[in-house]
Amino acid sequence: MLRFALLGCGRIGRVHADSVAYHPRAELVWAYDPFESAARDVAATYGGTPGTDVDTILADPGVDAVIVASSTPTHVDLLQRAVLVGKAVLCEKPIDLDLARVDACWEQIAGANPQVMVGFNRRFDPSFKAVRERVAAGDLGRLEQLIITSRDPAPAPAEYLAASGGLFRDMTIHDFDMARFFLGDVVEVQAMGANLVADYIADLGDIDSSVVVLRGVDGALCQIVNSRRCTFGYDQRLEAFGSTAMLTVDNLRPDGVRRFAADETEAAAPYLNFFLDRYTPAYRAELDHFITSVENGTPPSPGYADGRAALALADAANESLRAGRIVKLPMRA
């Protein structure tokens, strides 16, 4: 039984608490949040002891692993402190909004043989994972083009977006990791953005719509399409096109029922609403992988380097947007 401390009891923290409660080999022993009421509520629902003192929680020898689900500016500090006292860490994305802070954190923890997983849960979505496995097995020949579509049902509040780091670091970062999941290293980034959805997003100096084109190290191209608004629901699709075949993943619904009548054909239920519904199986599979990795003493994936690489792509996309040009990234040795 792996014993967890949850650091951060907001919306995403509750998602992780649910995954821990669901898993037969996991137990939530601490629920931390600077707002005591949030910690108490999570502990009452999912188990464990509520707490508002991180030092006490990290010093508890009964804690094997820590889930960092707090606000992004706190990730580096909590991750580093947890690793240096011997805890395995599952950290929500992004590790930080500043690549220099991410690198400095790694310098501090690298010698501690860290077991750190970054929360790119979409790698564990059953459909996306199945496509990636079939691509790796050569089911569509050589992968030539990848199209990732990700549109939210509605934009987040201004208070959230103001601290989010912008569209590329907050939203597209999941898609950057998905692109690397399929393409490996990315060597070129070209981004275009627009303000088409909400004036307050433009007032924050951010964009709400984007198209990003990536070139993988082996030449395959990837197009990422994002929007902060989608009137027909949470739009999460993927297309992998190869030399001999194509594989696609469509949006998911609660059921497969279609209605046919004089006034409409193929009418169906709305798509699953936002990430809480759409990606629950992926979050649970992500936690299972993390637990298995800790039990076996093997590196979890995606790891710290994957978190850094996705943030580097977000920075490159921002640079491309500002400069209006393709940004080249160095190839790893």
Side-chain angles (χ1 to χ4, degrees), residues 60-204:
D60 184 353
V63 173
D64 304 308
V66 168
I67 298 174
V68 177
S70 51
S71 60
T72 298
T74 67
H75 286 184
V76 160
D77 177 61
L78 294 176
L79 185 157
Q80 182 173 312
R81 290 165 68 183
V83 167
L84 293 180
V85 294
K87 314 298 186 186
V89 177
L90 170 56
C91 181
E92 260 303 320
K93 64 81 195 169
I95 299 171
D96 194 77
L97 299 177
D98 184 344
L99 204 59
R101 288 196 72 206
V102 172
D103 289 340
C105 177
W106 182 251
E107 290 180 6
Q108 292 297 315
I109 68 173
N113 191 28
Q115 277 195 300
V116 177
M117 183 175 179
V118 178
F120 290 122
N121 67 291
R122 297 181 190 182
R123 292 192 182 205
F124 298 92
D125 174 79
S127 297
F128 295 159
K129 183 181 179 184
V131 171
R132 199 263 188 177
E133 289 172 350
R134 292 174 67 171
V135 168
D139 191 35
L140 46 65
R142 178 186 177 185
L143 178 64
E144 297 174 349
Q145 296 176 339
L146 181 71
I147 300 175
I148 301 169
T149 301
S150 179
R151 300 184 177 106
D152 286 351
E159 296 77 14
Y160 172 86
L161 294 179
S164 70
L167 183 77
F168 294 139
R169 293 191 185 100
D170 173 54
M171 183 178 179
T172 321
I173 196 165
H174 273 295
D175 307 310
F176 288 138
D177 181 70
M178 184 61 61
R180 293 188 64 255
F181 190 43
F182 279 84
L183 271 60
D185 286 342
V186 171
V187 296
E188 291 183 5
V189 178
Q190 185 171 22
M192 297 186 69
N195 292 98
L196 305 171
V197 174
D199 291 341
Y200 70 83
I201 298 178
D203 293 340
L204 293 170

Side-chain angles (χ1 to χ4, degrees), residues 278-302:
R278 173 64 177 79
Y279 286 118
T280 293
Y283 280 108
R284 291 176 175 175
E286 172 188 66
L287 184 73
D288 180 72
H289 171 81
F290 177 72
I291 290 171
T292 301
S293 296
V294 174
E295 290 172 340
N296 295 339
T298 55
S301 178

